[in-house]
Amino acid sequence: MPSRRADPLTLEVVELIGDVVTRYHQEYEHAASSHQLTGAQARVLNLLSLEPMPMRKIAQKLRCEPSNITGIVDRLETRGLVERRPDPADRRVKLAAPTEEGLQTADRLRESLDFAREPLAGLSPAERAVLRDLLRRMLG
Amino acid sequence: MPSRRADPLTLEVVELIGDVVTRYHQEYEHAASSHQLTGAQARVLNLLSLEPMPMRKIAQKLRCEPSNITGIVDRLETRGLVERRPDPADRRVKLAAPTEEGLQTADRLRESLDFAREPLAGLSPAERAVLRDLLRRMLG
DNA sequence: TATTGTTATACTCTATAACTATA
DNA sequence: TATAGTTATAGAGTATAACAATA
């Protein structure tokens, strides 16, 4: 791939997207650590609060090796936020599911995780629709 | 902060931004590892390729503790991509600077790091300007 | 044989605290 | 005293490979 020089406008948009990504991650980590969770733990807890799932599926969602999930769920389980249940349909499978306390933590986390909600408040509904359409096209 | 329920449009935009963040990070890590670098190493190398700087300043840019930078620069130095130079003005300071090979690696990395360039190719200049303005307002 | 989850291993990133050499 | 960089330490995330239980 030859290095085509992008125009200044494109470069600025690329940089702005990088800024959004940076801020998003900072606020995500901060929100997680305010609940004594790491970013990875918060992501798994959020995932499970939507729907209990096998360890392997968590790894697929997070795009990492299944062996990593063992440790992350171990730590959430030690904290009493998640539990492992047998899968009646397949005894090899363990279903990870949030406890009642885990669901509450996930809810409180989600409230502080809607980073974009505040900045979007400054945009009109029409502008938000434009932003939505542009982002959709960016993501293909 | 009470949990106000956001409208569907806002929620979709929030989710789309999350998708952009996810894809950005995946492509960043992939581009870095294609050069046998970790994400943190790639970020430091890119930073230094713009301008040599003291170890402490790298930590400020990356928003991490200075002690972490020692190891990251160590690994880049072992690879021959970065070198430590004395600061004539203050003998406590070590300036981290890219080697010739480090600059070349940074250049090749940058070519594959302009993630947004390709997706933006589908947007007209006018649409890019709209996106730029919306992102600017999001970032305050 | 193939799949699920785990264990063992090794590396990297991260923060904290203590150390050194300068200022 | 204060600052720059390092070292030591510990915890967490990650990938790879090998393993037991089950399909």
Side-chain angles (χ1 to χ4, degrees), chain B residues 111-130:
Chain B
E111 288 174 22
S112 50
L113 280 182
D114 286 352
F115 314 105
R117 197 192 296 176
E118 282 310 314
L120 288 180
L123 305 183
S124 71
E127 288 172 326
R128 282 177 230 177
V130 170

Side-chain angles (χ1 to χ4, degrees), chain B residues 28-38 41-42 45 76 79 81 104-113:
Chain B
Y28 193 102
E29 294 292 328
H30 180 267
S33 77
S34 75
H35 292 276
Q36 283 77 49
L37 294 170
T38 65
Q41 288 165 6
L45 182 58
L76 288 171
R79 294 272 305 275
L81 302 176
Q104 291 172 11
T105 299
D107 281 345
R108 280 183 280 121
L109 204 50
R110 213 179 339 262
E111 288 174 22
S112 50
L113 280 182

